[in-house]
Amino acid sequence: MVKINLPKEKKYIIYFMITLITTLAMFTTFNYIDGQSLLAYSVTTWDAIFSGDISSFYALKLENLRNAYQPDSLETPIAMFPAVIWSLPVWLTHTFNGNYDVSGLFCIYWFKLIYIIFTIITAYAGYSIIKFFNTKSNNNDSIIALFFILSSPEILISTMYAGQDEIFYIAFMMLALNSFVKKDNKWFLIWSICSVACCDLMLVPVLALLLISENKLYKIVYKLLLTLVPRLVWALLTIGAPYKSLLEGGDAYEISDIFNIFTIETTTGSASIASLLMVLLFFYAYNIKNKESDDIELKRKAIWFITALTVVMSFIMQNHFYRFCIYTPFFIVLLFISRNEKVNVFLYMISLYLRMFTGGYNSPMNINTEYTASGSWAEKICILVGSKKYDTYDGLNAKILEKLPILESMVPMMNGIVLACILLILYHTYTNKKCELDIPVSRKYSDFMIVSCMSLYLTVFYMLLFK
């Protein structure tokens, strides 16, 4: 257990207050339809468990007594088992009294608490990894990284706005990475199993770490198969379950949708660029242990490969706006275990602000006034000031474009700058050589702007909501 010692410097108090206020504001303001559905699915899982027939899950979900906005999605509750465990009190308070509807505001608030807990777990794991690499007593990079993760707009939009469960498999993967660098093989495998249970795409980073740490192919295959056990057990328990085939028919479409967004043409048809890059990264990951004699540097390179793979997932694979955060904590850790922090943090700041805008350009549901929680303080202020925005479908970025239409033509350029920043950071951190480039911006300024990003964006949203 790594103890967190927060320095009593003024800037850390400011960072803490910004992070706390922003998180609480988003926690209490929004109720996105997917979060409401995920809560309903979690409680429905307990309905199936206590019915004595777990395979009734699909039929109960389609019956939709729990008022899910989308009763026909989510193929397996294994994918969100932390939320299922957390939702037991909601099941207890919304079953025996005849009130089955769990779409109320306080149920949503309870559900969102698990996301805050897992965000803190993610930040703690990042802190612990950086402390492992940076052992100097006066080194506060791990504290800065802690705030970068806790205040990350990409994570907050996924959790506090959209109410999505991405943070579960990200947190478990961060814990697995923390165990990996500390050579705790048992917990590395346990956390990897949890991560893959929540999202089978996490097989990708787990495979990379196994390729780096294992020499024998059978060990790699054996451990990789172990991570699939929870999903296989669920598949066996629900063989022939009513309506299961109806709800599990979208796998092929999902794989195509995720991997095939960017392709190149070959003589036999299209080839996925994402899968091409992943195979190349796997190959170099497997061979890196033969090139690196220094154990610490090998572990740093392992984090680089995990980060590069999650960057591929986040930037050139199909993702909804609430999945932009997959790479975030790994990327932040990489920033602080490599040289050139000043340059890399500045580039990260630029990419973060531009990605916040372009991430909402094609996703009008991202930070939309319609998902203001009914009965929340935000809705009450709207009523007080005479605003009807809480009942209007207005995406924040669409409104920004109304005022500044020239920005629409600049979106491709912005995306290019974001990718350039990300690739430059990956290059700097892979070579880990001292960069001669000097940025005329202090680290303190870059740090402050990164921690403040979501709060500034949210301020603009409230100006739109209360207008």
Side-chain angles (χ1 to χ4, degrees), residues 64 67-68 84 95 119 186 211 254 290 309 338 364 388 439:
N64 203 22
N67 201 25
V84 172
T95 298
T119 302
K186 180 184 74 172
L211 288 169
E254 184 177 348
N290 299 321
L309 286 164
S338 306
K388 296 288 186 180
I439 299 296

Side-chain angles (χ1 to χ4, degrees), residues 399-456:
K399 283 298 177 180
I400 293 174
L401 287 174
E402 281 185 16
K403 301 295 182 181
L404 299 168
I406 191 174
L407 290 177
E408 187 167 7
S409 62
M410 298 173 68
V411 168
M413 181 183 71
M414 293 179 189
N415 282 324
I417 294 172
V418 170
L419 284 173
C421 291
I422 297 299
L423 291 174
L424 282 169
I425 293 170
L426 287 176
Y427 171 75
H428 289 158
T429 52
Y430 186 82
T431 59
N432 207 26
K433 296 178 181 177
K434 184 173 176 57
C435 179
E436 300 300 325
L437 177 65
D438 187 28
I439 299 296
V441 176
S442 70
R443 257 292 305 277
K444 289 183 179 180
Y445 177 82
S446 296
D447 292 347
F448 176 78
M449 292 304 294
I450 289 170
V451 174
S452 302
C453 183
M454 189 67 242
S455 62
L456 294 173

Side-chain angles (χ1 to χ4, degrees), residues 221-239:
V221 174
Y222 164 70
K223 291 182 178 179
L224 204 62
L225 289 176
L226 272 181
T227 65
L228 292 171
V229 167
R231 286 176 172 263
L232 292 174
V233 169
W234 175 261
L236 290 172
L237 288 174
T238 57
I239 289 176

Side-chain angles (χ1 to χ4, degrees), residues 328-341:
T328 300
F330 309 100
F331 202 81
I332 290 170
V333 167
L334 187 64
L335 290 176
F336 292 108
I337 62 171
S338 306
R339 295 181 181 179
N340 310 310
E341 293 99 333

